[in-house]
Amino acid sequence: MSARKRVILYRFFLLFCGLATVIGTVVIACNAIDYAETDHGYLWAFGAAVAALVLIPLNTLTHEIGHLTAGALVGMRFSSVRFSRLRIVKVGKKVYVRFLRFKEVAGSCEMYPGSERGVRGKMIFYSLGGAIFNLAYAGALIATVFIFPMHPILYFFQLFAPLNLLEAAACLYPVQTATGKTDGETVRGLTVKDPSSVVALHVLTAQGILCKGTFADIDESFLFQLPVVREDDPAFLALTHLRWQYLFAAGREQEAFEQLLRLEELYAYLPEINRADVACDLVYFYSLLRPDLSRAKEYLADAGLFSVSCAYLRAMAAYTRMTGEHSDYFAEAKECAAGEPIVGVAELEKYFLARIEGEVNEKSSA
């Protein structure tokens, strides 16, 4: 079956599930009609549910907490989680809360392996964690409708039971949409080992190696002898970014530049929320490695999407030194790199900073 037909079937599936969700929600909502006449708490509970649906739906919150819990159980490390425009992200040892200017998806969760062992199994369990929590929520709250007496607080949570079932169904259906792969499609790909999933698995395993090691601990073939995938595939974009860092850390700068420039050509395909790191590298590149301040300026806005990261501080340190501006970016970048818990990332950031100071001689290889 073609990808287009699968998407069409998915839309019909969502339409059917959506109608069932509306009916289920209406049935639960009507349970409180008689009680609302004497207890206005039910009206407040219904209003609060509507407000939560607009701001941060409980089904989305439950789903992302499920991913976080599943990831933590298999030793994965927290990177970020997003609920609507609210994003919580860990940089080094600090956790920051940011409100995003855009909303591509209702929610997302990013974690990475704490080691290179058993990454495939960990990713399957992590991917299923969201739907498992949604199903558990729906089952438990639907059961309370029949077991416990009505109460406004319980009523509030019951209203989201059908939506949790919808969330689980939508995420478990294996398909790739305009916003990316569903959890079901991720699990399917990891199970059958399709090319995109193999590339993603290698990227994640490399990230696991970097937790306690450096880029020198990654075999070159692990990043370069991989199946061919579409250039707009998120796995390929992540791989290209990793290749640029790997080659730069190895002192093979000409080859590294080729990877970064290729990533620049594909910049429009990057999800907006993931552009910051690449933008930071491009600001650094055009400020120091191939000076072109007009090009560097083009990426400043995207680089600043998350202005507390080591990558941003390093990029701005290079930019302000090239422009002659006085700033504390370099000192802040050194402090950030020193506190970075991921060994491989910390070493790379120190190398980037050493280039700014001129402590590392430029190397290149054909």
Side-chain angles (χ1 to χ4, degrees):
M1 184 184 296
S2 68
R4 184 170 179 272
K5 288 182 178 179
R6 289 178 67 188
V7 171
I8 292 174
L9 281 177
Y10 180 60
R11 288 173 179 170
F12 277 109
F13 174 75
L14 287 183
L15 179 61
F16 172 78
C17 292
L19 290 173
T21 299
V22 171
I23 294 171
T25 304
V26 170
V27 170
I28 292 175
C30 289
N31 282 342
I33 290 179
D34 294 335
Y35 298 94
E37 293 178 359
T38 56
D39 186 349
H40 295 304
Y42 289 95
L43 295 177
W44 284 105
F46 184 83
V50 173
L53 185 63
V54 174
L55 298 174
I56 302 179
L58 283 189
N59 52 299
T60 301
L61 187 65
T62 302
H63 188 84
E64 303 311 331
I65 289 175
H67 283 309
L68 289 171
T69 303
L73 287 174
V74 294
M76 297 184 71
R77 298 189 180 187
F78 173 73
S79 177
S80 73
V81 65
R82 174 182 174 181
F83 309 105
S84 187
R85 289 185 172 86
L86 175 67
R87 188 184 186 205
I88 303 170
V89 62
K90 185 177 182 182
V91 178
K93 297 180 181 180
K94 298 180 179 179
V95 176
Y96 299 88
V97 177
R98 289 290 184 272
F99 289 94
L100 304 176
R101 68 187 185 191
F102 46 83
K103 181 183 177 182
E104 291 179 336
V105 292
S108 64
C109 180
E110 295 176 337
M111 300 183 79
Y112 58 92
S115 71
E116 70 274 23
R117 296 181 180 178
V119 174
R120 183 164 164 266
K122 292 176 181 178
M123 282 303 300
I124 290 175
F125 185 68
Y126 163 74
S127 298
L128 291 173
I132 291 172
F133 264 54
N134 285 133
L135 292 172
Y137 180 109
L141 269 297
I142 289 175
T144 63
V145 174
F146 303 98
I147 298 174
F148 296 106
M150 289 291 291
H151 188 280
I153 295 178
L154 196 58
Y155 175 64
F156 169 82
F157 290 103
Q158 288 170 347
L159 287 169
F160 285 94
L163 279 172
N164 272 274
L165 284 176
L166 174 63
E167 183 91 20
C171 291
L172 289 176
Y173 193 104
V175 69
Q176 179 156 359
T177 68
T179 57
K181 296 180 180 180
T182 62
D183 294 332
E185 177 64 12
T186 298
V187 171
R188 187 201 66 80
L190 289 169
T191 302
V192 303
K193 299 181 181 180
D194 67 21
S196 176
S197 297
V198 170
V199 171
L201 200 60
H202 277 240
V203 170
L204 288 165
T205 302
Q207 291 174 340
I209 294 173
L210 293 175
C211 283
K212 298 179 181 179
T214 67
F215 280 94
D217 297 317
I218 301 174
D219 189 275
E220 183 173 346
S221 63
F222 196 77
L223 296 181
F224 289 87
Q225 295 180 13
L226 292 173
V228 176
V229 295
R230 290 168 54 102
E231 289 193 333
D232 60 350
D233 189 313
F236 179 79
L237 297 171
L239 176 66
T240 305
H241 193 225
L242 199 59
R243 284 172 171 174
W244 130 254
Q245 294 176 328
Y246 173 85
L247 292 168
F248 190 78
R252 296 158 59 180
E253 295 192 0
Q254 190 57 45
E255 295 172 81
F257 296 167
E258 291 173 3
Q259 293 293 328
L260 184 59
L261 291 173
R262 188 178 187 187
L263 198 57
E264 184 181 25
E265 293 174 358
L266 301 170
Y267 192 78
Y269 294 112
L270 287 167
E272 193 169 1
I273 194 172
N274 295 327
R275 288 182 185 175
D277 284 342
V278 177
C280 288
D281 287 346
L282 289 170
V283 170
Y284 178 89
F285 177 73
Y286 284 119
S287 296
L288 179 68
L289 304 174
R290 189 172 292 179
D292 186 340
L293 291 183
S294 63
R295 296 294 299 276
K297 286 180 180 178
E298 294 178 17
Y299 297 102
L300 285 178
D302 282 348
L305 286 174
F306 196 62
S307 57
V308 296
S309 67
C310 292
Y312 176 78
L313 296 173
R314 171 249 303 168
M316 292 307 298
Y319 181 80
T320 53
R321 287 213 171 187
M322 291 303 106
T323 59
E325 301 174 40
H326 175 74
S327 75
D328 296 323
Y329 283 120
F330 188 81
E332 292 175 4
K334 288 188 73 172
E335 182 181 354
C336 185
E340 173 59 58
I342 303 175
V343 176
V345 173
E347 290 301 311
L348 180 63
E349 288 299 330
K350 291 174 183 176
Y351 185 82
F352 277 130
L353 295 173
R355 284 302 309 273
I356 296 176
E357 285 190 315
E359 296 173 0
V360 178
N361 294 323
E362 183 177 347
K363 299 177 183 179
S364 62
S365 60

